[in-house]
Amino acid sequence: MLKMRGVRNVLLASGTLSPIQAFTFNMGLNFGAILENEHALKQVPVLTSIVTRGKHGGLVGSFQNRKNIEYVSDVGESLIRVMETTPQGVLVFFSSYSQMDELVEVWKKTKRGASDSSETFWEKMEKTKKIAVEPRAKEQLAAIRLRYTQGVSEPHGAALLAVCRGKVSEGIDFCDAESRAVIIVGIPYPPIHDERVVLKKMYLDDLMGRNDLTNERQSSRDWYQMEAFRAVNQAIGRVLRHKNDFGTVVLIDTRYASAKPEMFPKWLRNTISRCDSNNCALKTARFFKERGHLIENSKSEYIKKQAKTCKSFRQVKSQSASNPKDDITDITLEDMFSPANMIIEKKEKIEPRPIKYESSSSSVFSLPTNEDELKVKKWEQENDSQTNVSSSSDLNKRKYKAETPGHSSGQHEVSGSEPPKKKKMVLLTRETLPEKYQNALNIPTSELTKGMSLDNQKQFVATLKGYKATTMEWQEVFQRLHQIFIPDRPDLFISCSNILRSEDKMKYIRKSLGMKINY
């Protein structure tokens, strides 16, 4: 750092505070000198595109134009094109929750093509990326973020739809694979009829009307625009988190093209270009193609990072009380859904505690398994040794067919042991589940502890903490939660499966079906 005579204090501020003039004015302080630097890197690895036109014309995301079907279709198509050409994670920011909800609702109903057989915009988005939507309720955010981070590691990646000035756009670190692209739909102006906004504009207009030339003044129009761009710059800051990071920024609104360069961070200004939605997709595809080797490296690094985070969490938990029942502290469901707490390093072997398995009474809903094949092979080997028949697999298969009851046209009794019958295997998905189970899985996690007694809350928290620290298997979780929720709230008991890791969730639901837990 350069030595400056007479300087007693230096304030280092984020580059996303641009425009800096508005920031200093609102602070009400007279800074002796202001220095706004370029990025630390000579060449910023960011591609910024202002999308001014879609298929049907200009993209103006004003409040009056928000429900225009041509505008909504063009925005949806622009998003799809960028998602298709961007690997890993994509962050999409809207001006407000109401705008996001309205656009999503239309995309779910509107067909991309003219024919009735064509898919909707939303269906295409879900095929392109695993979609997660920022919830309004804070307690649901961790679960949504977990869905997003898990989707980022999948082949097609994931997209998180969020809101400027929301919980995702500020304060959460999305780096590397989690933010390969940041897309901003519209300009997030503050609510024009909000009481605080109205009073602020009145105050600034009053200052502008005074004949006071000694103090710096700001018009209400400039303040209103700068507040919007500060939210934009906060969201843009998600794309570049360290010197090895890279990504694209896509601003879908023609009004960005007429904004002053000072509205954007200094490090971003030289990366900005204007284009239509088609050229934007081509430029984005070329940008990531040039960095194909970096993307492949980041995929493995992302998995290692998640495993390292989880391992550190387990080490901290192992140093705490050994018995989770005796270690009850204040903890929220949001903590339970933290991605670092839910992901387990695959290579690390965890010695399971002896579990007494219970046989399922239902064979309709089950996942494909080799357990039945092993039983058949064992039966064949035992019977083969008793009858001194060759151990050839072909002979075993013929023998199995000959001795299986009901195999031939006539019914014959078969002496000795019979081979175990293969279970009918049906893939377990949300679609194959009973409707009541599907409804239960949609219950928000915030509902799990509502109306629960204090003793049950302590038992519930201790159970989740034990499972999270890998000191408790899913079978024990099942038994404990069964005591808490059954028979009063079987729907919440089923909903608790959302807390478990994906492989344990399937087993949890299968066992529930086997025990015929219904309501």
Side-chain angles (χ1 to χ4, degrees), residues 85-205:
T85 55
T86 303
Q88 301 176 315
V90 176
L91 301 175
V92 185
F93 293 102
F94 298 84
S95 300
S96 62
Y97 284 108
S98 60
Q99 183 204 29
M100 179 175 67
D101 293 341
E102 289 176 6
L103 292 178
V104 170
E105 183 179 359
V106 176
W107 289 334
K108 288 182 177 180
K109 299 177 182 178
T110 307
K111 303 283 187 179
R112 288 185 71 200
S115 62
D116 295 335
S117 60
S118 62
E119 58 192 358
T120 64
F121 286 96
W122 187 254
E123 290 171 343
K124 180 59 177 178
M125 289 181 190
E126 288 187 318
K127 287 183 179 180
T128 307
K129 296 284 186 184
K130 185 175 183 178
I131 304 296
V133 181
E134 177 185 0
R136 293 176 183 259
K138 180 181 178 181
E139 59 271 16
Q140 299 176 11
L141 177 61
I144 295 298
R145 189 183 178 190
L146 174 61
R147 172 182 171 83
Y148 174 68
T149 54
Q150 289 177 336
V152 169
S153 60
E154 295 178 1
H156 295 292
L160 177 58
L161 277 55
V163 175
C164 290
R165 299 189 188 87
K167 297 174 283 294
V168 172
S169 64
E170 302 178 15
I172 297 182
D173 187 23
F174 293 96
C175 63
D176 296 316
E178 295 179 356
S179 58
R180 287 294 172 227
V182 170
I183 306 174
I184 302 178
V185 179
I187 301 179
Y189 287 106
I192 193 169
H193 298 297
D194 184 274
E195 185 181 44
R196 292 169 296 179
V197 175
V198 173
L199 291 175
K200 179 72 173 182
K201 294 178 72 174
M202 290 175 59
Y203 170 73
L204 294 174
D205 288 338

Side-chain angles (χ1 to χ4, degrees), residues 308-373:
K308 183 178 179 181
T309 303
C310 183
K311 185 175 182 180
S312 300
F313 174 81
R314 288 199 299 270
Q315 290 175 349
V316 172
K317 295 300 293 183
S318 63
Q319 297 172 2
S320 60
S322 58
N323 188 353
K325 295 181 181 179
D326 300 331
D327 182 26
I328 299 176
T329 58
D330 292 337
I331 191 167
T332 64
L333 287 179
E334 183 174 348
D335 298 327
M336 296 299 173
F337 281 97
S338 174
N341 302 344
M342 300 301 292
I343 297 176
I344 298 296
E345 186 177 5
K346 294 182 178 179
K347 293 183 180 180
E348 182 175 350
K349 294 183 180 180
I350 302 175
E351 293 297 332
R353 296 189 297 175
I355 301 297
K356 183 179 180 181
Y357 292 91
E358 298 180 8
S359 59
S360 173
S361 60
S362 172
S363 60
V364 178
F365 292 93
S366 59
L367 292 175
T369 173
N370 66 347
E371 181 181 354
D372 298 312
E373 299 293 339

Side-chain angles (χ1 to χ4, degrees), residues 1 16 42 78 88-89 108 142 255 278 283 324 350 391 455:
M1 180 180 290
T16 56
K42 293 182 179 180
S78 299
Q88 301 176 315
K108 288 182 177 180
R255 292 174 294 176
N278 289 331
K283 290 165 59 178
I350 302 175
S391 59
D455 290 339

Side-chain angles (χ1 to χ4, degrees), residues 362 364-366 426-442 490-491 494-495 497 506 508-519:
S362 172
V364 178
F365 292 93
S366 59
V426 178
L427 186 62
L428 182 62
T429 64
R430 289 184 76 98
E431 289 72 21
T432 60
L433 286 174
E435 183 178 357
K436 291 184 178 180
Y437 273 64
Q438 297 182 32
N439 295 335
L441 293 176
N442 292 327
D491 53 337
I494 302 302
S495 180
S497 63
M506 291 293 116
Y508 186 100
I509 296 176
R510 285 177 59 194
K511 187 168 183 178
S512 301
L513 290 164
M515 295 179 65
K516 298 183 179 179
I517 294 177
N518 210 332
Y519 54 96

